[in-house]
Amino acid sequence: MTNSDRPTGASAPSVKDVAAAAGVSLGTVSNVLNRPERVSPRTRERVERAMAGLGFVRNESARQLRAGRSRVLAYVMLDGSNPFFSDVARGIEDVAERRELSVFLCNSDQVAEREDAYLSLLEQQRVLGVLITPVDPENPALAGLTRRGTHVVVVDRTRSGDTHCSVAVDDVLGGRLAVEHLLDLGHRRIAFVGGPEQIGQVRDRRSGARAALESAGLPADSLVDVATEGLTVEAGRGAGARIAGMSGRRRPTGVFCANDLVALGLLQQCVALGVRVPEELAIVGYDDIDFAAAAAVPLTSVRQPRRELGRKAAELLLDETTSPDHVHQQVVFQPELVARASTRGMAGRTTPQRPEPVP
Amino acid sequence: MTNSDRPTGASAPSVKDVAAAAGVSLGTVSNVLNRPERVSPRTRERVERAMAGLGFVRNESARQLRAGRSRVLAYVMLDGSNPFFSDVARGIEDVAERRELSVFLCNSDQVAEREDAYLSLLEQQRVLGVLITPVDPENPALAGLTRRGTHVVVVDRTRSGDTHCSVAVDDVLGGRLAVEHLLDLGHRRIAFVGGPEQIGQVRDRRSGARAALESAGLPADSLVDVATEGLTVEAGRGAGARIAGMSGRRRPTGVFCANDLVALGLLQQCVALGVRVPEELAIVGYDDIDFAAAAAVPLTSVRQPRRELGRKAAELLLDETTSPDHVHQQVVFQPELVARASTRGMAGRTTPQRPEPVP
DNA sequence: CATCAGATATGAAACCTTTCAATCGTCAAT
DNA sequence: ATTGACGATTGAAAGGTTTCATATCTGATG
């Protein structure tokens, strides 16, 4: 056990203290830390012993101040409790780890003010770069960061213009896939559940849904809009109650939810209220989170390459910070529909049923 | 639009630049930033205009260097993709927000090396304090931080000794509740699913389970142990396959899973392989995450006050950093069993069934 | 008109690390 | 013995912010 106990009040030892203890100059201590090969083994040993004895811990603030930049990436998540975003974060961590960088996770929780507060903080921290799934991709604060020299990559959104890189999945296509699937199954009264309107994902997925209706020769306005306050399980439950409460002739036969959380909440509430899924109501979610497959009725969902999304975003960011001739890119991944029992029929049921609803 | 564009290469403006632009000393700029009431309105206005014009952003590293401490709390999560921990994080954020602090979320992903790397980084960052749900609460690195003056609060674990504060839920009691519930329903062949052994939650919950058996006059060793590699949905699926594969006479009739992720995976796999839940297999999870209620068969689970856990932990940490006469506390919350269909019977089934299995 | 109080503004020092040009010491070659 | 070369070490400067003791100014009071 080294003698590194520090009674309250004494401040942390600095390179200066280490230098004094080892009887060398502070430049030498720094060399031990940063270019050990330039220091003779004898001296190095002595310095290392002094560091251990004093319990020396490098002061990252001072390093950063000197270096001008930190070794930290930040990801501002739209919703920390949505597994979709933690999966994206994992992808970012994969890349960061390989480059010996750390990742600072922030949760805007879909609140614009929180997002702005975090962006401001991160800019002050002089982080290496910011990855963000913004509440609103047109948030002027993003342009501000870029203008002042902090690199920003937008995740899960595309932005008009080429002010920064972005990585996204084609949400319009995703919405189209979801609704085409419902149309293929014969549904004609289809609802879209999600909100609020500011969230781009919501807009795009809905617009894809409308496009699918139009391609099928139906008026886009026939899409029943069920607005929610947010994209949470709780919001989904609320929407479920509203839909279950509709009279049989008005109630949609198929719903497309803006994400899986909403779909799961809606599913749970509908089942609890006696609406059979998918016989009376077919449900399509979005994101294909792990829980989607484990739901009351395994959930049909639109799958996105979540982890890959994070990886690509981090790579773009690092390229931007590293190579001088970087060109902004807008990478768009393709989503994929995963059909399961919530639209198809009851998997595992002893009496299989045809899911065809009344057209 | 202010003229704050900065061509690549030019470094960010500092207080010095602002001072020059406004024609005042740099001390005055600092006063505008920190004690605006001491600056005459005219000067203040001039300085603020200069800051806006130059696109001045405070350098947090330099502030910290001067102040010695940062305004950031960190929470090192055991598993970023487990909603339990994001809920705890939310509780922490609640408290931090109120005090104008920020929260740095880190994900050890149950890897001890990652945990140590983050702890080291955070100590170097001189964060205000560290909240952590450790892979192993006896990790000596924790004692190291405390010894060198960084405050640490352990979340969701208790630690022997009183080296730091901790907030936990009584996992032994939770395990006992879960298994008592199964015993009450008549189950006698009961399995515990979870792992790895190093994780304290796993040990405690299992030990509570064994205690329940003993209290019921059964040998503790009659608890069938199904070890998993981790506490994930995927691990649960694997365990589900193993259990479903057992012959009818050897297969347990009730299982208690170390957390909900494992329980959901297990549930899904068992249902897929044709094992009826709860008729042939009753399942109890742990954590009562939102998804538990929305599962294939709504999941009986042991509920913990997750958000409250985070709040209390953050409060303890802040008390520790603020009040000089702080005394370390070990706060223990009580868990609560929430019975649902996975042990009781099929809720919402048209033909209700008695869940009583063969004893 | 001189003095003083109070309100404002200033400039230097400190925080800790890193870097780099300069110095020191040693050994080999001349 | 002198020089040169080279490896090891040094010391000062820089980086941006905050603080605090000091200086300056304004206006009022005697």
Side-chain angles (χ1 to χ4, degrees):
Chain A
M1 173 71 74
T2 60
N3 177 27
S4 56
D5 294 43
R6 184 165 35 267
T8 333
S11 69
S14 71
V15 279
K16 196 163 30 168
D17 302 308
V18 174
V24 298
S25 81
L26 98 194
T28 300
V29 177
S30 178
N31 280 336
V32 171
L33 253 14
N34 302 298
R35 300 187 282 329
E37 73 285 358
R38 295 217 188 148
V39 180
S40 76
R42 235 180 105 256
T43 318
R44 196 194 315 163
E45 159 93 357
R46 204 141 41 93
V47 171
E48 275 161 356
R49 209 188 298 282
M51 293 198 293
L54 292 164
F56 170 76
V57 175
R58 249 166 156 164
N59 185 325
E60 183 65 23
S61 312
R63 298 188 76 188
Q64 275 183 219
L65 175 57
R66 188 84 228 286
R69 285 263 149 214
S70 72
R71 261 169 302 287
V72 177
L73 297 183
Y75 177 40
V76 183
M77 293 186 281
L78 191 58
D79 177 2
S81 64
N82 184 341
F84 173 80
F85 295 107
S86 5
D87 288 343
V88 172
R90 279 277 259 293
I92 294 169
E93 285 172 340
D94 288 345
V95 175
E97 196 166 13
R98 219 176 305 140
R99 311 265 202 128
E100 308 219 344
L101 301 169
S102 318
V103 180
F104 191 153
L105 259 26
C106 309
N107 177 18
S108 74
D109 219 0
Q110 312 194 24
V111 177
E113 289 73 31
R114 282 178 60 118
E115 178 175 301
D116 287 349
Y118 271 120
L119 286 176
S120 167
L121 178 83
L122 294 170
E123 190 177 11
Q124 294 180 196
Q125 299 264 16
R126 301 290 194 275
V127 292
L128 204 53
V130 174
L131 296 138
I132 180 171
T133 302
V135 175
D136 171 9
E138 304 297 331
N139 183 349
L142 295 179
L145 288 224
T146 308
R147 184 155 23 87
R148 291 186 293 273
T150 297
H151 300 289
V152 175
V153 171
V154 171
V155 180
D156 199 31
R157 296 277 68 209
T158 36
R159 242 192 76 143
S160 48
D162 53 352
T163 38
H164 34 238
C165 286
S166 70
V167 175
V169 180
D170 188 337
D171 277 333
V172 177
L173 173 58
R176 177 188 277 275
L177 289 175
V179 170
E180 277 173 356
H181 175 67
L182 290 171
L183 289 168
D184 284 349
L185 294 172
H187 293 275
R188 290 298 174 270
R189 270 204 315 283
I190 297 176
F192 175 81
V193 179
E197 202 49 34
Q198 299 96 282
I199 298 182
Q201 282 84 340
V202 173
R203 284 199 301 269
D204 286 357
R205 291 167 196 177
R206 183 189 316 91
S207 109
R210 292 169 60 103
L213 287 176
E214 284 187 327
S215 299
L218 295 169
D221 286 342
S222 65
L223 187 71
V224 180
D225 236 303
V226 180
T228 61
E229 301 265 307
L231 299 178
T232 62
V233 173
E234 192 49 46
R237 290 198 186 104
R242 268 179 288 159
I243 288 177
M246 294 178 181
S247 68
R249 38 181 53 244
R250 280 208 9 253
R251 188 199 293 158
T253 63
V255 303
F256 166 41
C257 298
N259 78 359
D260 282 346
L261 300 188
V262 171
L264 289 172
L266 184 140
L267 171 61
Q268 186 196 7
Q269 192 64 281
C270 285
V271 169
L273 295 175
V275 177
R276 283 173 306 147
V277 176
E279 295 84 347
E280 295 178 275
L281 189 70
I283 302 179
V284 181
Y286 206 106
D287 288 346
D288 192 33
I289 60 176
D290 284 352
F291 298 108
V297 179
L299 196 64
T300 294
S301 190
V302 178
R303 175 179 297 166
Q304 312 193 64
R306 317 187 274 283
R307 196 152 172 170
E308 187 53 31
L309 207 61
R311 282 207 203 96
K312 188 68 194 173
E315 275 160 12
L316 286 176
L317 180 63
L318 292 178
D319 180 70
E320 188 169 336
T321 59
T322 318
S323 70
D325 53 346
H326 170 87
V327 179
H328 290 313
Q329 294 175 52
Q330 320 288 322
V331 176
V332 178
F333 288 94
Q334 302 298 309
E336 173 192 2
L337 187 104
V338 182
R340 296 204 185 84
S342 72
T343 54
R344 236 179 9 204
M346 292 295 270
R349 265 252 182 165
T350 38
T351 327
Q353 291 189 239
R354 301 268 66 225
E356 300 301 329
V358 193
Chain B
M1 171 71 72
T2 60
N3 177 28
S4 56
D5 294 40
R6 181 162 39 266
T8 332
S11 69
S14 72
V15 279
K16 195 162 28 167
D17 302 309
V18 174
V24 298
S25 81
L26 100 193
T28 300
V29 177
S30 179
N31 280 336
V32 171
L33 253 15
N34 302 299
R35 308 197 264 336
E37 74 285 358
R38 297 218 186 146
V39 179
S40 75
R42 233 180 106 259
T43 318
R44 196 192 317 162
E45 159 94 358
R46 207 143 39 95
V47 171
E48 275 162 355
R49 208 188 297 282
M51 293 199 292
L54 291 164
F56 170 75
V57 176
R58 248 166 157 166
N59 185 325
E60 184 64 22
S61 311
R63 297 188 76 189
Q64 277 183 218
L65 175 57
R66 186 82 229 286
R69 284 263 149 217
S70 73
R71 260 170 301 288
V72 177
L73 297 184
Y75 177 40
V76 183
M77 293 186 280
L78 191 58
D79 177 2
S81 63
N82 184 341
F84 173 81
F85 295 107
S86 6
D87 288 344
V88 172
R90 280 277 259 293
I92 294 168
E93 286 172 337
D94 287 345
V95 175
E97 197 167 14
R98 220 177 303 138
R99 310 266 201 126
E100 308 219 345
L101 300 169
S102 318
V103 179
F104 191 153
L105 259 26
C106 309
N107 177 17
S108 73
D109 219 0
Q110 312 195 22
V111 177
E113 290 73 32
R114 281 178 61 119
E115 178 175 300
D116 287 349
Y118 271 120
L119 285 176
S120 167
L121 177 85
L122 294 170
E123 190 178 11
Q124 294 181 199
Q125 298 265 15
R126 302 288 195 273
V127 292
L128 204 52
V130 173
L131 296 138
I132 180 170
T133 302
V135 176
D136 171 9
E138 304 298 331
N139 183 349
L142 295 179
L145 288 223
T146 310
R147 182 153 28 87
R148 292 186 294 272
T150 298
H151 300 289
V152 174
V153 171
V154 171
V155 180
D156 199 31
R157 296 277 68 210
T158 37
R159 241 193 77 144
S160 50
D162 53 352
T163 37
H164 33 238
C165 287
S166 70
V167 176
V169 180
D170 188 338
D171 277 333
V172 177
L173 173 58
R176 177 188 278 276
L177 289 174
V179 170
E180 277 173 356
H181 175 67
L182 289 170
L183 289 167
D184 284 351
L185 294 172
H187 294 275
R188 290 298 176 269
R189 269 205 314 285
I190 296 176
F192 175 81
V193 179
E197 203 49 35
Q198 298 96 282
I199 299 182
Q201 282 85 343
V202 173
R203 285 199 301 268
D204 286 358
R205 291 168 195 175
R206 180 186 321 89
S207 109
R210 292 169 60 102
L213 286 176
E214 286 187 326
S215 299
L218 296 169
D221 286 340
S222 65
L223 187 70
V224 180
D225 236 302
V226 180
T228 61
E229 300 267 304
L231 299 177
T232 62
V233 172
E234 193 47 45
R237 290 196 186 106
R242 269 180 286 160
I243 288 177
M246 293 178 182
S247 69
R249 38 179 54 243
R250 282 207 9 253
R251 188 199 292 157
T253 63
V255 303
F256 165 41
C257 297
N259 78 0
D260 282 346
L261 299 188
V262 171
L264 289 171
L266 184 141
L267 171 61
Q268 185 196 7
Q269 192 64 280
C270 285
V271 169
L273 295 174
V275 177
R276 284 173 306 147
V277 176
E279 294 85 347
E280 296 178 273
L281 189 70
I283 302 178
V284 182
Y286 206 106
D287 287 347
D288 193 32
I289 60 178
D290 284 351
F291 298 108
V297 179
L299 196 65
T300 294
S301 190
V302 179
R303 175 179 297 168
Q304 312 194 64
R306 316 186 275 281
R307 197 154 172 167
E308 187 53 31
L309 208 61
R311 282 207 202 95
K312 188 69 194 172
E315 276 160 10
L316 286 176
L317 181 63
L318 292 177
D319 181 69
E320 188 169 336
T321 59
T322 319
S323 71
D325 53 346
H326 170 86
V327 179
H328 290 313
Q329 294 174 52
Q330 321 288 321
V331 177
V332 178
F333 288 94
Q334 301 299 308
E336 174 192 1
L337 187 104
V338 182
R340 296 205 185 84
S342 72
T343 54
R344 237 178 8 206
M346 294 294 272
R349 266 254 181 162
T350 38
T351 326
Q353 291 189 238
R354 300 269 66 223
E356 300 303 328
V358 192

